[in-house]
Amino acid sequence: MEWIRRETIGHGSFSTVSLATTSGSSTRFPALMAVKSSGVVCSAALRNERDVLDDLGECSEIVRCFGEGKTVENGEEIYNLFLEYASGGNLGARIKKSGEALPEYDVRRFTRSIVKGLCHIHANGFSHCDVKLENILVFGDGDAKISDFGLAKRRGEFGEEIRVNIRGTPLYMAPESVNHGEFESPADIWALGCSVVEMSSGKTAWCLEEGITNVMSLMVRIGSGEEVPRIPVGLSEEGKDFVRKCFVKNPAERWTAQMLLDHPFLAVDGDETSSTSTSSGSLRYGEEDEASVSPRDPFDFPDWNSVQSPVNDSVTVGSPVYYSPFSFLVRSPEERISGLVTENAPDWSVSCDWVNVR
Ligand SMILES: Nc1ncnc2c1ncn2[C@@H]1O[C@H](COP(=O)(O)OP(=O)(O)OP(=O)(O)O)[C@@H](O)[C@H]1O
C-alpha cells in the first residue's frame, strides 16, 4: 500500500500518532487513517497492540486496526500500525480543555461504550491494563472506542516484563495492582470507575483528596484501608451506585463488565436527554460523600504511627521514580514506604501531570 504521513495528531510514551492518507484505491485501507509509529527497536508495545487487536477481532467499541508496515525515515527503521482515525481525539483531552464535566447523558453514553468494549476484551481473555480517558477515542458520529492496547495482556499472563514492571497509570490503578501487582479484568473496572468520576466532575479521581501530593502518597491511599475516590455529589443516584460497584476494594467482589452492562445507569432510555437532573455539564465534587471513608492523610491509619523513616518529600508527581510492586509485599509499613521510592532506576514516563509506570 502506498501511503503518506501527514501531520502529527498525538504523542504517547511509546509512539507518535500521525494522520496517514492513501490513494483510496485499496479496499483494505481507507483513504484517511491514523498511523501509530515507533522505532523498530522499541516497538514491543506496538507489536503487542497489533497482536491483541488481531486476537480481539471486530468490535464496534474497540478501535479498528488495518494492518502494519515498516518504513525507513531519516535513516531509522520505523514500525507503523494503521488504525481507524478518530476525528474527535481522546476524551481526556476534551475534558481537560473545557475543564468542565460532561452532561450526564454523555457520561452514560460513553460509559456504555467503554463497558461494551471491556465486555468484549474480558470475554476474549484479555485485560486492557491502561483504561483511562486518554485512551478513549471519539469519532465523528459521537461514538467512543477503546484504544491503546500496548499494555494489554492475556488473563493470568505474568511474563518477565510484567514481573518487574508495574503497568498502567497510577491515578487509575486498582488496590490489588498497587498491593499485589495484579492486573486482571477487575483492575480495568476500577479504572472505569475513575473514568466515570472524571467525566462527571471534570477532575481526575483522587485529585481533590487532601494529602495526596505525590505518587507515593497516592499509592498508599489506593492500597490501604477502605478509602475510595470521592464520588461527585451531582451525579444521579444511578450514577453513584454504578461508580460504587466499580470501587469495590476486593477485586473478587467488584462487578464485572458483563454485570455492569445491565446496570440501570447504562439502560438505554428513549428519553435519555431529559432523564438527568444534571445535564448542565457542571457536576462538581461535593465536600463529602458517604461512599468515601477518608482518613485525613496517608498516615492517618492506626497502624501507621510507627512510621519514622523519612519519606522522600522531594519526589513529586511527575518526577522520575522507580516503583517496585514487590515493595508492597513486605509487612512493615516503614519498609513498604521506604522501598517504594528510590531515584536510582527511573522507569517512568510522564502522562499529563501524572506518571505512567511501565
Ligand atoms: N486512531 C486514532 N485516531 C486519532 N487520534 C489517535 C488515534 N490513536 C491515538 N491517537 C492520539 O494519540 C494519542 C497517543 O496515542 P496512544 O495513547 O495510543 O499512544 P501510546 O504511545 O500508547 O501512549 P500511552 O502513553 O498512553 O501508552 C492519543 O491520546 C490520541 O489523542
Side-chain angles (χ1 to χ4, degrees):
M1 176 201 42
E2 298 268 313
W3 63 279
I4 299 170
R5 187 184 300 283
R6 304 289 183 179
E7 70 259 31
T8 300
I9 52 173
H11 287 285
S13 348
F14 296 122
S15 63
T16 299
V17 182
S18 325
L19 278 179
T21 51
T22 66
S23 63
S25 58
S26 163
T27 49
R28 190 171 150 213
F29 298 94
L32 184 63
M33 296 181 292
V35 59
K36 194 168 169 182
S37 308
S38 75
V40 164
V41 284
C42 51
S43 61
L46 264 187
R47 289 169 192 275
N48 183 59
E49 179 159 10
R50 194 269 328 269
D51 291 345
V52 173
L53 287 171
D54 269 3
D55 286 351
L56 288 177
E58 287 266 325
C59 170
S60 47
E61 287 79 22
I62 292 176
V63 73
R64 196 163 157 215
C65 177
F66 299 110
E68 62 184 342
K70 282 186 195 161
T71 48
V72 176
E73 298 174 39
N74 300 320
E76 190 189 2
E77 206 180 1
I78 305 288
Y79 180 83
N80 304 295
L81 200 59
F82 300 104
L83 302 166
E84 63 180 319
Y85 169 56
S87 59
N90 76 68
L91 255 184
R94 223 181 226 220
I95 289 176
K96 225 162 261 154
K97 194 169 165 200
S98 73
E100 291 269 311
L102 295 178
E104 188 165 312
Y105 168 74
D106 288 337
V107 178
R108 289 176 188 245
R109 197 165 53 91
F110 289 138
T111 304
R112 193 182 303 127
S113 296
I114 302 169
V115 172
K116 280 185 182 172
L118 287 178
C119 275
H120 185 82
I121 294 165
H122 297 166
N124 280 279
F126 286 92
S127 45
H128 182 280
C129 299
D130 202 13
V131 172
K132 58 180 176 180
L133 295 186
E134 276 77 9
N135 289 335
I136 307 299
L137 299 180
V138 183
F139 287 72
D141 52 8
D143 281 355
K145 302 192 184 194
I146 303 177
S147 72
D148 193 1
F149 287 76
L151 294 178
K153 67 171 196 72
R154 279 199 176 277
R155 184 182 302 129
E157 182 183 77
F158 203 68
E160 206 47 41
E161 180 264 326
I162 301 161
R163 194 175 287 276
V164 296
N165 287 315
I166 283 284
R167 41 179 64 204
T169 304
L171 268 177
Y172 295 79
M173 222 175 246
E176 70 274 15
S177 308
V178 168
N179 290 330
H180 310 296
E182 277 175 33
F183 294 89
E184 300 300 334
S185 53
D188 286 344
I189 300 298
W190 179 279
L192 167 72
C194 295
S195 304
V196 176
V197 167
E198 194 172 337
M199 283 189 273
S200 53
S201 68
K203 304 270 190 294
T204 52
W206 297 111
C207 80
L208 290 188
E209 311 299 338
E210 283 174 31
I212 299 183
T213 53
N214 56 37
V215 173
M216 185 180 62
S217 54
L218 172 68
M219 293 291 171
V220 170
R221 291 287 271 273
I222 296 172
S224 313
E226 294 307 312
E227 188 182 18
V228 300
R230 207 178 296 194
I231 298 172
V233 289
L235 196 54
S236 64
E237 283 311 312
E238 289 166 345
K240 284 181 184 163
D241 186 71
F242 181 93
V243 174
R244 284 190 199 108
K245 300 291 191 273
C246 300
F247 286 154
V248 174
K249 281 244 165 180
N250 179 350
E253 290 170 11
R254 201 171 299 149
W255 279 34
T256 64
Q258 194 59 52
M259 291 159 79
L260 288 169
L261 207 49
D262 293 329
H263 191 283
F265 186 57
L266 302 191
V268 182
D269 180 344
D271 192 26
E272 259 187 330
T273 44
S274 60
S275 70
T276 69
S277 57
T278 52
S279 58
S280 64
S282 57
L283 302 184
R284 295 284 173 228
Y285 280 98
E287 289 301 304
E288 298 290 341
D289 189 276
E290 68 281 2
S292 174
V293 183
S294 306
R296 299 213 64 78
D297 65 57
F299 306 106
D300 193 12
F301 298 95
D303 58 340
W304 282 63
N305 294 338
S306 64
V307 176
Q308 298 288 325
S309 69
V311 173
N312 188 348
D313 285 334
S314 65
V315 177
T316 54
V317 172
S319 302
V321 291
Y322 176 73
Y323 165 57
S324 161
F326 303 109
S327 56
F328 285 98
L329 301 180
V330 295
R331 290 218 161 250
S332 138
E334 188 174 345
E335 282 172 1
R336 285 175 62 189
I337 290 178
S338 54
L340 184 64
V341 176
T342 158
E343 291 177 69
N344 292 339
D347 191 20
W348 296 66
S349 53
V350 176
S351 173
C352 303
D353 297 327
W354 289 85
V355 178
N356 272 349
V357 191
R358 304 291 176 190

